[in-house]
Amino acid sequence: MNNQDQQAGRDAAPPITAHGAARRRFARAGVGVTGALVTITSKAGMAADVCAAPSGSVSGGLQSQDPASAAACAGRSPGYWKTHDGWPVNKVLAFGAIFNCPANSSYNTCSLEDILEPKQWDNYGLGRHLAATYLNIHSGRIGFIGDRHIQRMWTELRSGYYHPKPGVDWDAEDVVEYLQATMGSKRE
């Protein structure tokens, strides 16, 4: 190995982590569109905090009525809601009362409190993360997406893919990844 080869080895970028690859895939999916409010934390080891509707457009469900004010961006994880009081809705509210589910679906009668516990039938934790997002919306912790938006995510995923914008298909894993990013570093 000559000096140039040794120097090239030292200057090579470290391999991308699975987390970094997920962020790149998420960014390619179109979240960074002009007009979207997106914040990224720079603390080492923290995930990107996404404070934008998946479409990245203001018309995609931003809740703020005053364009000069920033939408709330302090979502909490399913683990947080599972262990904390101060819920904005009744804990025994059925998941199916919020998200349209077939009558024979495990999701239908599962309470919000219960769905926050990992379930074998809850692929990628989609129900857990939708429930936490619902609680974040109703507690005022996030204001850039609303009930109709997350209900649309659920409905479209039941048919195969969620479409945050034309030509972009997200599966359940992609949606969970997005929802986790809206929950910032509060992964208690």
Side-chain angles (χ1 to χ4, degrees):
M1 182 182 273
N2 64 31
N3 263 352
Q4 266 186 327
D5 291 338
Q6 289 175 342
Q7 182 65 33
R10 280 194 302 268
D11 293 341
I16 189 164
T17 64
H19 184 70
R23 275 201 227 167
R24 284 186 184 177
R25 187 177 78 200
F26 181 66
R28 281 195 310 266
V31 172
V33 176
T34 304
L37 168 66
V38 177
T39 63
I40 299 180
T41 60
S42 61
K43 298 175 187 167
M46 285 190 152
D49 292 339
V50 176
C51 300
S55 66
S57 70
V58 173
S59 64
L62 289 176
Q63 300 296 307
S64 176
Q65 298 300 318
D66 176 9
S69 70
C73 185
R76 298 298 182 118
S77 70
Y80 172 88
W81 288 109
K82 185 172 59 175
T83 60
H84 287 77
D85 290 327
W87 281 38
V89 298
N90 192 323
K91 291 181 177 191
V92 298
L93 180 64
F95 185 88
I98 302 161
F99 300 96
N100 187 20
C101 303
N104 63 348
S105 166
S106 297
Y107 290 98
N108 191 44
T109 57
C110 191
S111 71
L112 290 181
E113 180 179 39
D114 192 39
I115 198 135
L116 294 175
E117 291 288 334
K119 306 284 184 229
Q120 187 174 9
W121 44 262
D122 185 23
N123 294 335
Y124 303 105
L126 178 63
R128 293 178 55 216
H129 287 87
L130 285 169
T133 302
Y134 180 82
L135 295 169
N136 287 329
I137 291 166
H138 286 267
S139 66
R141 292 181 184 280
I142 60 175
F144 45 88
I145 57 177
D147 289 353
R148 285 185 287 164
H149 202 112
I150 61 174
Q151 289 164 341
R152 192 177 110 225
M153 287 177 174
W154 172 255
T155 301
E156 287 186 19
L157 281 169
R158 287 185 49 229
S159 300
Y161 292 96
Y162 166 65
H163 308 284
K165 66 180 195 174
V168 177
D169 298 330
W170 285 1
D171 61 16
E173 186 176 15
D174 295 323
V175 170
V176 168
E177 191 173 299
Y178 164 76
L179 295 175
Q180 286 173 334
T182 70
M183 296 170 190
S185 61
K186 308 288 190 268
R187 305 220 195 295
E188 295 111 84

